[in-house]
Amino acid sequence: MVIAIDGPAGSGKGTVTELLAKELNFTKIDTGAMYRAITWEVIQKKVSLEDIEKIKEILCNSKIEFQKERVFLNQREITNEIRTKEVSNLVSQVSHIVEVRNAMVKLQREMGENRDIIMEGRDIGTNVFPNAEVKIYLDASPEERARRRYEQNLEKGISTTYEEVLENVKFRDHNDKTSNVGPLRIAEDAVIVDSTDLTIEEVVETIKKIVEKKEKKENAKC
Ligand code: DC
């Protein structure tokens, strides 16, 4: 089974996906972290976003791996590095480069082969796995999403102001929704879950019920 969780930055996808993956015993894949890893490498190598040949070279030479919550690029751990302001400010643009999108989507489809996965991102239900058995569009108001990101940053010791985070959230929303490449859209058959006034536990329970209902339907077919 593929569970696709799409939604804007800070809608709670990460936490919800992690909890659901543990409860359902599914493999969790954070596709935003993959775009962040490539962005981090672009920054390290000081490559211009116009230099497509160099970007292609980075794509060919970058092996992204997950070990539970940890992210590795060519065996170097970059779990914290991919959450910095520099990466957050550039990742939306990098993720909308056609060559980057194509390479990541291919990798994401391979990662989902022959296993139960829960994959979070922006275009999972619409593009990566259009036949996913369960599609959730997780939403929340921009202010609430910025508040959550700001608190996460504080916990991680990343220094930002709430206003900066809100500005970044709105900037990325705009970029993500208006892009020609892998835009953030609600799949026709997705269930919209608005988490603005829900606790994480309530969101997890809501999605679990949707998954269970789907499982029952699938079993009834056999
Ligand atoms: O979920 P996140 O904030 O870590 O994602 C980082 C960026 O990557 C975000 O600006 C949008 C982009 N992204 C995307 O375009 N498609 C995905 N499937 C996942 C993330």
Side-chain angles (χ1 to χ4, degrees), residues 9 13 30-33 35-36 83 91-92 95-96 101 108 120-124 149 172 176 182:
K13 298 188 304 287
D30 173 2
T31 59
Y35 291 103
R36 285 172 179 273
R83 304 286 160 196
V91 62
S92 186
S95 71
H96 295 135
R101 174 74 44 179
Q108 287 153 15
E120 55 144 318
R122 302 291 190 288
D123 59 341
I124 312 306
R149 266 285 145 98
R172 286 207 282 144
D176 292 348

Side-chain angles (χ1 to χ4, degrees), residues 54-162:
K54 283 259 165 62
I55 291 193
K56 277 191 195 161
E57 212 177 290
I58 287 182
L59 290 167
C60 283
N61 297 322
S62 297
K63 189 159 190 259
I64 301 170
E65 286 168 303
F66 292 103
Q67 276 177 29
K68 298 221 163 103
E69 299 322 307
R70 300 163 75 199
V71 186
F72 294 81
L73 187 107
N74 297 335
Q75 276 148 26
R76 178 193 160 158
E77 183 170 5
I78 53 165
T79 312
N80 294 328
E81 285 81 347
I82 62 169
R83 304 286 160 196
T84 58
K85 244 192 275 180
E86 288 71 22
V87 172
S88 294
N89 288 339
L90 201 67
V91 62
S92 186
Q93 292 170 65
V94 172
S95 71
H96 295 135
I97 296 171
V98 178
E99 287 77 6
V100 174
R101 174 74 44 179
N102 290 345
M104 291 302 109
V105 168
K106 184 168 177 274
L107 196 59
Q108 287 153 15
R109 288 185 180 142
E110 283 165 11
M111 284 173 158
E113 265 167 25
N114 305 322
R115 52 182 175 162
D116 289 327
I117 57 155
I118 176 160
M119 186 175 274
E120 55 144 318
R122 302 291 190 288
D123 59 341
I124 312 306
T126 51
N127 180 34
V128 183
F129 288 108
N131 297 324
E133 284 82 356
V134 175
K135 296 182 189 179
I136 306 292
Y137 186 89
L138 195 56
D139 211 350
S141 69
E143 290 73 19
E144 174 62 15
R145 290 187 281 121
R147 192 191 61 75
R148 292 175 188 169
R149 266 285 145 98
Y150 172 66
E151 279 177 12
Q152 276 172 5
N153 286 353
L154 278 187
E155 274 166 31
K156 287 179 188 153
I158 300 169
S159 92
T160 40
T161 64
Y162 168 78

